[in-house]
């Protein structure tokens, strides 16, 4: 799919200022301000996928790392080790048990980056999604923002995105991607560290000879 160009920062800021709900506007402003000062981010994560063709959800766990501007690593540890490494240009998937590696294209990875606010502020997203607070939020210490696509072509594959923003550190605590066909992917993050030192060597996969 063709990438949607992000509006200028001033336009994004203006878009947030124009939001009528004062509570939602305040949450977005705090989040965007936090992203502006972000240099690195790391956290433990649990990924839960509910797929219509499968009876049981697929649950994986691991560690996430990001260093601005474009280095990302999803290091899965359970139930099977694998690494997804992004550098802004490509995504490398490494499966050490199978002794395989491949360069892959996945829209989900680009979307996760977008919804984390790592490359795009909420003001940008408001150009393409209707944003609202879900006041029935059941996760203490967070605000739940629901994004519903404005464009028909997005509605065909995406029902909504649900983002839980931590009230103290203004980072994503949970993120759920709900597809139009009923499939869901939920990421839950723990031990979130903002601007902690991350070894640059983490973003290099040293493949064994075999």
């Amino acid at each position: 799919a063709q990438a949607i160009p992000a509006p200028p920062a001033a336009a994004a800021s203006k878009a947030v200022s124009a939001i009528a709900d004062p509570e939602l506007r305040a949450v977005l402003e705090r989040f965007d301000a936090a992203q502006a000062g972000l240099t690195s981010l790391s956290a433990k994560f649990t990924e839960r996928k509910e797929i219509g063709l499968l009876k049981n959800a697929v649950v994986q766990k691991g560690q996430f790392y990001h260093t601005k501007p474009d280095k990302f690593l999803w290091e899965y540890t359970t139930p099977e080790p694998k690494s997804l490494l992004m550098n802004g240009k490509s995504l490398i998937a490494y499966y050490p048990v199978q002794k395989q590696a491949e360069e892959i294209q996945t829209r989900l990875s680009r979307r996760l980056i977008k919804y984390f606010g790592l490359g795009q502020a909420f003001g940008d997203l408001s150009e393409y999604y209707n944003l609202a607070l879900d006041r029935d939020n059941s996760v203490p210490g967070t605000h739940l923002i629901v994004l519903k696509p404005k464009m028909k072509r997005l509605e065909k594959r995406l029902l909504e995105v649900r983002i839980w923003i931590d009230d103290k550190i203004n980072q994503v605590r949970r993120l759920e991607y709900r597809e139009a066909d009923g499939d869901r992917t939920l990421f839950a993050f723990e031990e979130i560290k903002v601007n902690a030192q991350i070894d640059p060597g983490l973003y290099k996969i040293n493949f064994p000879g075999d």
Side-chain angles (χ1 to χ4, degrees):
Q2 185 176 0
I4 300 172
S13 177
K14 185 176 181 180
V16 169
S17 300
I19 292 175
D21 183 339
E23 185 178 0
L24 173 59
R25 186 170 62 248
V27 171
L28 299 182
E29 288 174 344
R30 289 195 299 269
F31 180 83
D32 285 356
Q35 304 322 301
L38 184 73
T39 59
S40 69
L41 187 69
S42 64
K44 292 183 177 179
F45 71 87
T46 298
E47 175 187 334
R48 178 185 175 89
K49 287 189 177 183
E50 296 180 9
I51 302 172
L53 298 176
L54 300 179
K55 182 178 180 180
N56 298 318
V58 178
V59 179
Q60 303 179 87
K61 295 184 178 183
Q63 183 82 25
F64 166 77
Y65 301 92
H66 165 60
T67 301
K68 276 190 173 180
D70 59 3
K71 290 181 170 56
F72 303 89
L73 174 63
W74 298 84
E75 198 168 58
Y76 290 80
T77 56
T78 305
E80 183 176 301
K82 69 177 179 181
S83 298
L84 299 179
L85 178 64
M86 291 177 283
N87 60 12
K89 297 179 181 179
S90 64
L91 188 154
I92 303 297
Y94 174 45
Y95 309 93
V97 175
Q98 291 90 350
K99 298 182 180 180
Q100 293 181 345
E102 60 180 339
E103 185 172 357
I104 61 177
Q105 298 294 325
T106 169
R107 287 197 301 268
L108 180 58
S109 294
R110 291 195 297 271
R111 290 169 186 162
L112 287 172
I113 294 169
K114 180 188 300 182
Y115 300 131
F116 266 121
L118 299 175
Q120 209 168 1
F122 268 110
D124 302 337
L125 293 174
S126 66
E127 292 288 310
Y128 312 105
Y129 299 88
N130 291 310
L131 278 61
L133 279 179
D134 186 334
R135 289 180 165 80
D136 292 329
N137 178 23
S138 60
V139 181
T142 70
H143 279 81
L144 171 54
I145 301 174
V146 180
L147 289 74
K148 292 183 179 291
K150 294 179 178 180
M151 301 177 182
K152 294 293 183 183
R153 64 184 179 89
L154 286 177
E155 286 181 337
K156 291 180 180 179
R157 63 175 185 267
L158 175 64
L159 179 64
E160 65 182 23
V161 179
R162 301 170 69 81
I163 304 174
W164 288 260
I165 305 295
D166 188 286
D167 294 336
K168 291 184 178 180
I169 60 175
N170 295 300
Q171 300 294 335
V172 177
R173 177 102 68 84
R174 294 187 184 183
L175 186 150
E176 185 177 41
Y177 190 84
R178 298 185 176 185
E179 299 186 49
D181 60 6
D183 291 355
R184 298 184 182 186
T185 302
L186 172 67
F187 287 87
F189 299 92
E190 298 177 346
E191 299 181 27
I192 302 170
K193 297 179 181 179
V194 179
N195 295 341
Q197 183 66 36
I198 297 177
D199 182 357
L202 280 174
Y203 300 108
K204 297 178 182 179
I205 299 178
N206 296 314
F207 300 113
D210 57 354

